[in-house]
Amino acid sequence: MTIDWQKEVEARKDDLLQDLIDLLKVKSEREDDKVTPDAPFGPGPRDALLHMLAYGERDGFVVKNVDNYAGHIEFGEGDETLGIFGHMDVVPAGDGWDTNPYEPVIKDNKIYARGSSDDKGPSMAAYYGMKIIKELDLPLSKKIRFVVGSDEESGWGDMDYYFEHEEKPDFGFSPDAEFPIINGEKGNVSVAVHLPVSNEGAYVLTSFTAGLRANMVPGTAKAVVTVADAAKAEELATAFAAFLEAHPVTGSSSIDGKTVTFDLVGKGAHGASPQIGINAATFLGLFLNDFAFAGGAKNFLAAVATYIHEDVYGEKLHTAYEDEKMGKLTMNAGLFDFDATKEQAFINLNFRYPQGTSLEKIEAGLQETLGQFEPTFSAEPHHMQPHYVPQDDPLVQTLLAVYEDHTGEKGFEQIIGGGTYGRLLKRGVAYGAMFPGYTDTMHQANEFMDLDDLFRAAVIYADAIYRLAK
């Protein structure tokens, strides 16, 4: 049987786009202060999950909601289950948008909204691939289950809960990365560095804050500093203006008597690729470290400026490691909090590490370099080990063949620092929806997905799902 997948997607492209627009309007950021028994990660993730599951009910699939943590959309029969994993939660929109991040805008054949490329757009493309197979009533030998998550951008508590109640699919993929395929993912762990708070110098650090999530490069940072007199405040503001001129950042300062407030703007990026961002927090720390702070404030700033600033590969922190297949360890300093009214300051360091090193080695490096500042360390409980599915696995071979058939480009394996739901399965990978050469705007302002790529991905997903489950 020959199926014109392109034609089938073309016939449904308007419906696909409208469903995506409606889904993108749901502000599905995790909000811990709004958690309730029926909204385990806040109302937004719950509402987006219910919205997606409602599409499955509308289209006649078997749908199950697992207590608003996660759910699935399923059809087909067989002893094996093909799993497709998407997520409806998004990282905070943050600043710097040209449009409302939750009012989708189509411009230059791109759809702009938070979640358009991570992961509502790719999820919708994969869902429509599955929907096409059902509507064509194609013969299957396996179940197809689209698992819908709501906490991928935070602690994966959705999947922990879901798999306490549901069996894992036998194999599958997540449409949450790049083509041709992602069959390897680095380990992923965040380490919190806690430092004592005190101010003993001529300059008082009242506060220093930056970051929205551990897996985002902070695009903005703010600090409030108090000095001896108004003249010192003017000197500090003048020095900051000169610093901005000399570095690849922007910002401003304001003076209120003896108090100076600094706002610095860098460039946000996905925490898995900190090298493409400009960490606003570490640049602000670099500036302030040149002044006469003392005590805990000095330790905080010195740690940031000396060991964390522009150390995306962990070389200064003595955590660096490189594996021939998986590449280099990366480090993203994603969260910063110094508050003079608290007992401890906080810096979150997110490590994406290859096979061959470990959390224990990372912590040893941190102790060696940051130990002088009297810190305590705590690793976040959600720790993902390195994951790899061999290139000769039939799953990988099939997905690469589909990609090659529809693009005319040679498929190849890839290993990334990002963590996707693909790693939930021993035989699980990530597959699209970004094509080679695509501009990655995940976790950044003005996130978008190219509409041609959206529909092209749906074609590939439809064919891939059918080949895997027929």
Side-chain angles (χ1 to χ4, degrees), residues 40-242:
F41 309 110
R46 175 202 61 197
D47 293 348
L49 169 66
L50 294 176
H51 195 108
M52 188 68 200
L53 294 179
Y55 288 151
E57 293 173 346
R58 175 198 68 189
D59 296 330
F61 291 95
V62 174
V63 174
K64 184 171 185 179
N65 178 357
V66 183
D67 299 330
N68 290 344
Y69 280 80
H72 64 244
I73 300 167
E74 183 179 84
F75 82 115
E77 297 292 337
D79 295 333
E80 286 187 290
T81 300
L82 163 63
I84 306 161
F85 291 82
H87 68 89
M88 298 297 105
D89 60 307
V90 298
V91 297
D95 300 322
W97 286 77
D98 297 331
T99 58
N100 184 331
Y102 294 106
E103 287 295 334
V105 171
I106 296 175
K107 182 174 59 175
D108 299 327
N109 203 45
K110 300 177 178 68
I111 184 165
Y112 288 83
R114 177 56 90 218
S116 55
S117 64
D118 184 17
D119 180 40
K120 293 177 181 177
S123 290
M124 191 59 63
Y127 172 73
Y128 262 77
M130 177 176 166
K131 174 176 157 72
I132 287 168
I133 295 167
K134 179 178 181 296
E135 290 178 350
L136 295 179
D137 197 25
L138 298 175
L140 301 175
S141 65
K142 301 175 181 67
K143 290 181 183 177
I144 303 173
R145 176 181 296 173
F146 193 107
V147 180
V148 186
S150 65
D151 188 39
E152 194 270 353
E153 298 292 3
S154 297
W156 290 30
D158 56 343
M159 291 296 103
D160 292 340
Y161 189 90
Y162 177 81
F163 286 121
E164 288 174 2
H165 298 80
E166 301 292 323
E167 292 186 2
K168 285 190 175 183
D170 297 281
F171 63 101
F173 67 87
S174 175
D176 191 20
E178 305 168 19
F179 288 119
I181 201 167
I182 303 295
N183 57 316
E185 299 181 11
K186 295 177 184 177
N188 185 343
V189 66
S190 289
V191 178
V193 182
H194 302 276
L195 298 161
V197 168
S198 64
N199 275 287
E200 301 168 16
Y203 291 73
V204 174
L205 184 60
T206 302
S207 65
F208 185 113
T209 55
L212 298 170
R213 286 281 192 274
N215 60 356
M216 300 173 71
V217 176
T220 61
K222 179 186 287 287
V224 179
V225 176
T226 302
V227 292
D229 52 47
K232 285 287 186 186
E234 289 285 355
E235 290 177 10
L236 200 53
T238 300
F240 186 60

Side-chain angles (χ1 to χ4, degrees), residues 49 64 118 121 160 178 180 262 279 300 348 413-414 426:
L49 169 66
K64 184 171 185 179
D118 184 17
D160 292 340
E178 305 168 19
F262 302 94
N279 194 312
F300 177 86
N348 184 288
E413 72 171 0
Q414 295 184 96
K426 184 176 180 180

Side-chain angles (χ1 to χ4, degrees), residues 433-447:
M434 289 195 300
F435 289 87
Y438 183 85
T439 300
D440 183 0
T441 55
M442 290 185 180
H443 295 201
Q444 301 174 46
N446 300 315
E447 177 184 348

Side-chain angles (χ1 to χ4, degrees), residues 250-278:
T250 59
S252 62
S253 63
S254 61
I255 300 173
D256 182 6
K258 299 184 293 182
T259 299
V260 188
T261 299
F262 302 94
D263 289 284
L264 190 145
V265 179
K267 179 178 180 250
H270 196 301
S273 302
Q275 66 274 17
I276 68 173
I278 299 174

